[in-house]
Amino acid sequence: MEIKDRSYRILHFPLSQILLGIIICCGIVAIGQVSVIQLLKLTALDKDAKTLINGIVAALLIVGSYVLWFRFYEKRAISELSLTGMSGWLIAGVALGVVLQSLTIGVIYLAGGFRVIAVNSLLFAIPSLAGAFVAAVFEEIIVRGIIFRLLEKRWGSYVALLLSALIFGAMHLANPNSSLIAALGLAIQAGLLLGSAYIYSRSLWFPIAIHFAWNFTETGIFGASVSGNAVGKALLTTKIDGADWLTGGKFGPEGSIQATLFCLAATVVLLLLSYRQNKLIPAATRSNLFYGDKKDQ
């Protein structure tokens, strides 16, 4: 009985839950992506259409695997992906993401470092649309849905926010043109902002929408690099010049000082609202460690 009880506790410890969740969700997406890629090779669709379809399938797979796994594993309704109120959080998130990225670019423009060379067809934005969509859904499910949520369960909102932000920044260290400073900037701006968005809304749709709008506005609209990845095609063909601290250099505008300051300001507002509305979760005591699962005897 003692061995069984110990095994249960190990299996349901937050770090074990995180590893299992990531392995299962990423595994299902990887298998599905291989199948989809092979099927798309049999079609006459162009590259952009295939990219968009592939992205939609990847997003459906990561959401579906998350919902099915944690509904089974935690024996609960997956309220963080509820369709109730989804449209409101998506609209709010897109609006916030667009505003924050536009303010970031606006500072570069006012400093004389942003110039529009050409306005292209809307079709030019499709690859960026697909890329931003996949990155937002996948990273928010993994980082906020699995890592942050399960850390928060055990160690509370503040510790989970800090740790998940650092993990998010570290995930981008391997990106092209990245650096320790760039990764730290992402941890501060995006890691803290998106975690705070989840705390305030308790819905993954809100951080997903912010993440998507930020990336798509940056690369698909303004034609700038995103997280070190050079832009291919965009609605606007632009030229960005200036000091790295102002423009983000080759890493893109999100590596700029103003991006960090704007996102940090939004983070503070969301955390203050969360505090006033008692949405911040304290660290778990030993008796409620398993969130209503098997209690200490």
Side-chain angles (χ1 to χ4, degrees):
M1 184 66 180
E2 184 179 346
I3 294 176
K4 184 178 179 181
D5 189 61
R6 186 181 297 116
S7 299
Y8 180 92
R9 292 181 179 282
I10 291 173
L11 185 62
H12 287 266
F13 189 68
L15 296 181
S16 301
Q17 289 181 308
I18 288 170
L19 290 175
L20 276 172
I22 291 174
I23 290 170
I24 289 172
C25 291
C26 290
I28 291 173
V29 172
I31 293 170
Q33 286 290 274
V34 170
S35 302
V36 170
I37 289 171
Q38 294 304 314
L39 288 173
L40 288 175
K41 286 181 179 179
L42 303 176
T43 71
L45 296 171
D46 62 31
K47 182 180 177 181
D48 289 347
K50 289 180 179 179
T51 299
L52 183 58
I53 292 172
N54 200 30
I56 292 172
V57 172
L60 290 174
L61 286 172
I62 191 68
V63 170
S65 60
Y66 176 89
V67 170
L68 292 175
W69 171 246
F70 283 104
R71 181 179 291 164
F72 162 77
Y73 194 64
E74 297 180 320
K75 303 294 189 294
R76 66 179 181 86
I78 309 301
S79 59
E80 63 270 26
L81 284 173
S82 172
L83 298 181
T84 303
M86 178 183 72
S87 59
W89 289 121
L90 288 176
I91 292 170
V94 167
L96 181 56
V98 169
V99 167
L100 289 173
Q101 184 59 240
S102 297
L103 288 172
T104 298
I105 295 293
V107 171
I108 302 173
Y109 173 78
L110 291 174
F114 182 85
R115 181 161 55 94
V116 176
I117 297 173
V119 178
N120 305 307
S121 165
L122 287 173
L123 296 177
F124 275 50
I126 289 178
S128 295
L129 179 71
F133 178 68
V134 175
V137 175
F138 189 87
E139 292 181 10
E140 293 314 303
I141 290 290
I142 297 297
V143 181
R144 257 56 66 174
I146 297 178
I147 296 175
F148 172 83
R149 186 178 61 79
L150 294 173
L151 286 175
E152 185 185 43
K153 234 168 112 166
R154 176 63 181 93
W155 290 288
S157 298
Y158 292 121
V159 171
L161 188 60
L162 176 61
L163 291 178
S164 64
L166 291 173
I167 291 170
F168 185 76
M171 286 170 57
H172 294 79
L173 271 173
N175 284 29
N177 304 305
S178 186
S179 66
L180 187 59
I181 297 299
L184 183 60
L186 272 182
I188 294 173
Q189 59 182 246
L192 294 179
L193 172 63
L194 296 169
S196 299
Y198 176 72
I199 291 172
Y200 176 68
S201 64
R202 293 297 162 185
S203 169
L204 285 171
W205 300 121
F206 191 33
I208 284 173
I210 296 171
H211 196 150
F212 164 77
W214 172 274
N215 281 4
F216 179 65
T217 304
E218 182 175 34
T219 184
I221 304 299
F222 292 123
S225 297
V226 57
S227 299
N229 296 295
V231 65
K233 295 188 292 185
L235 179 63
L236 302 177
T237 299
T238 62
K239 185 173 179 58
I240 300 177
D241 292 310
D244 286 355
W245 64 268
L246 179 69
T247 66
K250 292 183 179 179
F251 192 72
E254 61 191 25
S256 66
I257 185 65
Q258 71 269 20
T260 300
L261 293 176
F262 287 137
C263 290
L264 194 55
T267 297
V268 171
V269 171
L270 288 172
L271 285 178
L272 284 174
L273 290 173
S274 297
Y275 176 77
R276 290 175 180 175
Q277 296 176 25
N278 296 315
K279 292 182 177 181
L280 294 166
I281 295 176
T285 61
R286 183 173 175 79
S287 62
N288 66 9
L289 173 58
F290 298 110
Y291 243 28
D293 292 336
K294 189 174 181 180
K295 304 289 185 182
D296 289 338
Q297 301 297 320

